[in-house]
Amino acid sequence: TQSIQLAAPLKLAKARSRFLVTMQKNLNDFLLTTLKALPEREYKYTKTQVNERRLSSAILQLLSYSKAESVTEDLASRFYTADNMTDKLNTLKAAQICSLNLFDKLMLSFEQEYSENAVVMDKWFSLHATTPSDDILAKLTLLASHKQFNIKNPNKVRSLVGSFSFYNTEGFHASDGSGYQYLTDYLIELDKINPQVASRLVTPLIQFKKFATTQQELIKIQLNRLLNTSDLSKDVYEKVSKSLAH
């Protein structure tokens, strides 16, 4: 949606998904053969292994569009036998596409293993925030009360609220405008704590002219709410007022 003018984000997301499903069907045998041919090695940070892990991750994500039980079982097996965080994260990204039940189960296991690692937990928050689920806003609210989350920590805010707003097309651009309202509510709270981060997170809203008329109108309602907020920081006020003035 970044380079297309007057884009309908939900239609684009559905079209992308349909394309990837078709691509997976056409390449399924090739993908399975290529995946099987990748060597199993003890984890080392080498250029060859980095490239192998990237290829494996791309294949697993594409295969996941089949939603096949065999893929779900393979992902679970790969997750529990992985000897490194990168492979576990790659499996989680694929599970997010293939089976939300498996994804939630594996995410719980991942959290238990890495709960004390702040940097790794940023990735965990980001994965949750980009999940295409109907109750994503309730999940975001729940995650914001997680012991590892702190609204005063810019990295945590970016990993949760930023990931949702920038990368969760289905959730952020929900047809009822609830995603826009969620971000606006959060920005009003965040602006009082860290206006610099708030001014960066407002970006998906002030880019409203890239989207179709329906989305534009819903976003402008929230931008005007922001503009009418008392004690709004200079950083956020300037960005919002400038976007609405043009």
Side-chain angles (χ1 to χ4, degrees), residues 218-236:
L218 289 169
I219 293 174
K220 281 194 280 188
I221 291 170
Q222 300 306 326
L223 287 174
N224 280 303
R225 268 186 68 214
L226 261 180
L227 212 55
N228 292 322
T229 301
S230 59
D231 300 322
L232 193 66
S233 71
K234 183 182 177 183
D235 292 344
V236 175

Side-chain angles (χ1 to χ4, degrees), residues 69-233:
E69 190 174 336
S70 58
V71 177
T72 303
E73 290 171 355
D74 182 46
L75 291 175
S77 174
R78 286 173 180 276
F79 180 88
Y80 290 118
T81 58
D83 63 354
N84 64 88
M85 182 200 67
T86 304
D87 281 340
K88 289 195 174 189
L89 280 170
N90 288 341
T91 306
L92 288 171
K93 290 173 186 174
Q96 189 186 53
I97 299 165
C98 191
S99 165
L100 288 183
N101 285 335
L102 176 65
F103 175 75
D104 287 339
K105 181 182 176 184
L106 299 185
M107 285 287 277
L108 191 59
S109 176
F110 189 87
E111 177 194 9
Q112 290 167 349
E113 184 173 356
Y114 295 101
S115 62
E116 301 307 316
N117 188 320
V119 175
V120 176
M121 286 300 288
D122 285 348
K123 300 178 187 297
W124 183 83
F125 281 116
S126 180
L127 271 171
H128 267 307
T130 53
T131 304
S133 60
D134 293 335
D135 60 346
I136 185 62
L137 298 185
K139 285 185 177 179
L140 291 175
T141 301
L142 191 63
L143 288 162
S145 64
H146 191 279
K147 65 177 183 177
Q148 271 279 10
F149 188 83
N150 187 342
I151 193 173
K152 295 179 181 178
N153 183 319
N155 287 337
K156 291 290 180 283
V157 173
R158 281 192 287 266
S159 66
L160 185 66
V161 183
S163 293
F164 167 73
S165 306
F166 282 90
Y167 306 115
N168 191 330
T169 302
E170 292 90 341
F172 182 62
H173 292 287
S175 57
D176 61 357
S178 56
Y180 309 142
Q181 183 178 340
Y182 172 85
L183 177 58
T184 304
D185 290 344
Y186 201 88
L187 288 172
I188 290 170
E189 181 183 3
L190 180 64
D191 188 56
K192 294 176 174 61
I193 298 165
N194 195 328
Q196 287 77 30
V197 175
S199 72
R200 287 194 285 273
L201 283 188
V202 79
T203 301
L205 292 174
I206 63 174
Q207 292 178 334
F208 68 92
K209 289 185 179 129
K210 290 185 174 184
F211 304 122
T213 307
T214 304
Q215 277 74 38
Q216 287 194 30
E217 295 305 317
L218 289 169
I219 293 174
K220 281 194 280 188
I221 291 170
Q222 300 306 326
L223 287 174
N224 280 303
R225 268 186 68 214
L226 261 180
L227 212 55
N228 292 322
T229 301
S230 59
D231 300 322
L232 193 66
S233 71

Side-chain angles (χ1 to χ4, degrees), residues 53-70:
R53 283 191 285 273
R54 283 178 180 165
L55 177 57
S56 173
S57 178
I59 292 173
L60 287 172
Q61 287 184 56
L62 199 47
L63 284 171
S64 291
Y65 280 93
S66 71
K67 314 266 187 202
E69 190 174 336
S70 58

